[in-house]
Amino acid sequence: MEKIEHTTVPTNGINMHVASIGTGPVVLFLHGFPELWYSWRHQLLYLSSRGYRAIAPDLRGYGDTDAPPSVTSYTVLHIVGDLVGLLDKLGIEQVFLVGHDWGASIAWNFCTIRPDRVKALVNLSVAFRPRNPTIKPVDAFRALFGDDHYICRFQEPGEVEEDFAQIDTAKLMKKFLVSRSPKAPCVPKEIGFRGLPDPPALPSWLSEEDVNYYATKFNQKGFTGGLNYYRCLNLTWELAAPWTGVQIKVPVKFIVGDQDVTYHIPGVKEYIHNGGFKRDVPFLQEVVVMEGVAHFLNQEKPEEVSEHIYNFINKF
């Protein structure tokens, strides 16, 4: 871990913290919520030892990267803009892209907007969701799961931050990272995230040291930057109108755990396995469903996930 280099790169009007290691073709890793570059620690070491330059930034609003104060500064166009600027600043023409959770969502959008910069994509957890021109994403989640669904609960600026502040950050991180329920997280206001049951003992793949790394960074930065991605879902939907119906035209491998909450959203399994996914992502080459694995698969099964990434990008 001490061989990983940490730098700050100016891009798109912000300063971005970047962790990187190795030399060779570049693999760019995009983390999710509530995470950091650190979620890719195992993959950085694995791929750098096999002849790749592995780069994992803290995305806008997270960790040691700037967090602009305006809620509306967190659309997918802002984030993709940050990443294109990062590659330009580092003099990198094309990358292998790897995303998880929100990072996967950003990666799909990256491939829609700037496919010229991507050699191939490995996405974890979140399948492609073609833009539905008739309903905004937050409204769609509300219709499916009701007002208590976490994405709906995240919408009001300041409200969830206040809830999070009533519980020790390390304990909150454990609740997020260790959760194994495939059911959609619905959290009534009167119970709050503070009222969610405490997780049992940490699993073997997550140490107290790991949890404390996240907790320290979120104590310094707060959660607002990460929450603003959710608050911009409908704004991103409006801005993305010109790309309605655009297919993903880069080679893709998709990996999901069969206990992942995202895999159990109504319609998702059917979309992935019954032809919809392949229609929208015509160069989809592999779909891997990992048995008994939950949402944070890159940390829960680091060796297997790293191998999956390596075996795919090594073809190009």
Side-chain angles (χ1 to χ4, degrees), residues 20-275:
S20 63
I21 182 169
T23 54
V26 176
V27 189
L28 178 63
F29 292 93
L30 309 179
H31 69 77
F33 176 90
E35 300 178 77
L36 302 162
W37 75 269
Y38 189 80
S39 294
W40 298 110
R41 60 198 177 280
H42 305 294
Q43 287 73 32
L44 291 178
L45 298 177
Y46 185 102
L47 283 150
S48 64
S49 72
R50 282 158 181 79
Y52 289 90
R53 180 180 177 193
I55 297 178
D58 282 335
L59 296 176
R60 171 183 290 241
Y62 285 94
D64 295 319
T65 291
D66 289 348
S70 168
V71 173
T72 54
S73 296
Y74 291 83
T75 71
V76 158
L77 295 181
H78 288 91
I79 316 302
V80 172
D82 297 343
L83 297 167
V84 170
L86 171 67
L87 298 184
D88 289 346
K89 192 77 186 164
L90 297 177
I92 297 165
E93 191 60 37
Q94 276 197 317
V95 295
F96 293 110
L97 198 54
V98 182
H100 169 253
D101 185 78
W102 254 108
S105 199
I106 304 292
W108 292 123
N109 283 276
F110 194 121
C111 293
T112 308
I113 300 166
R114 293 302 301 271
D116 58 303
R117 306 301 292 267
V118 182
K119 285 186 221 174
L121 166 66
V122 180
N123 252 349
L124 279 50
S125 178
V126 175
F128 183 62
R129 293 193 190 115
R131 181 182 183 275
N132 181 343
T134 63
I135 186 166
K136 295 181 178 182
V138 178
D139 303 354
F141 281 111
R142 191 170 273 119
L144 268 178
F145 300 115
D147 289 335
D148 290 340
H149 186 257
Y150 76 100
I151 288 176
C152 303
R153 288 288 322 282
F154 283 178
Q155 293 305 309
E156 188 55 47
E159 198 177 275
V160 169
E161 287 92 331
E162 210 170 289
D163 185 354
F164 286 179
Q166 297 183 35
I167 172 174
D168 173 68
T169 307
K171 194 179 266 192
L172 182 64
M173 290 308 303
K174 288 176 189 176
K175 290 184 194 224
F176 279 124
L177 294 169
V178 179
S179 167
R180 299 195 72 74
S181 171
K183 291 216 290 279
C186 290
V187 184
K189 268 186 200 180
E190 56 278 10
I191 294 172
F193 287 83
R194 64 193 175 279
L196 293 176
D198 286 335
L202 285 183
S204 59
W205 54 267
L206 191 69
S207 69
E208 290 289 348
E209 191 187 359
D210 297 329
V211 171
N212 290 336
Y213 186 88
Y214 287 108
T216 301
K217 293 298 179 186
F218 279 102
N219 278 334
Q220 288 166 0
K221 189 64 119 201
F223 287 91
T224 299
L227 291 165
N228 284 344
Y229 287 56
Y230 294 93
R231 291 166 185 158
C232 281
L233 273 167
N234 283 354
L235 178 56
T236 287
W237 177 87
E238 291 174 24
L239 296 172
W243 291 278
T244 304
V246 172
Q247 293 174 307
I248 301 292
K249 290 286 187 71
V250 304
V252 173
K253 178 172 185 170
F254 179 68
I255 311 168
V256 65
D258 69 355
Q259 300 301 303
D260 194 324
V261 63
T262 63
Y263 193 54
H264 292 267
I265 295 170
V268 165
K269 281 183 202 169
E270 294 75 9
Y271 174 74
I272 291 171
H273 300 295
N274 296 353

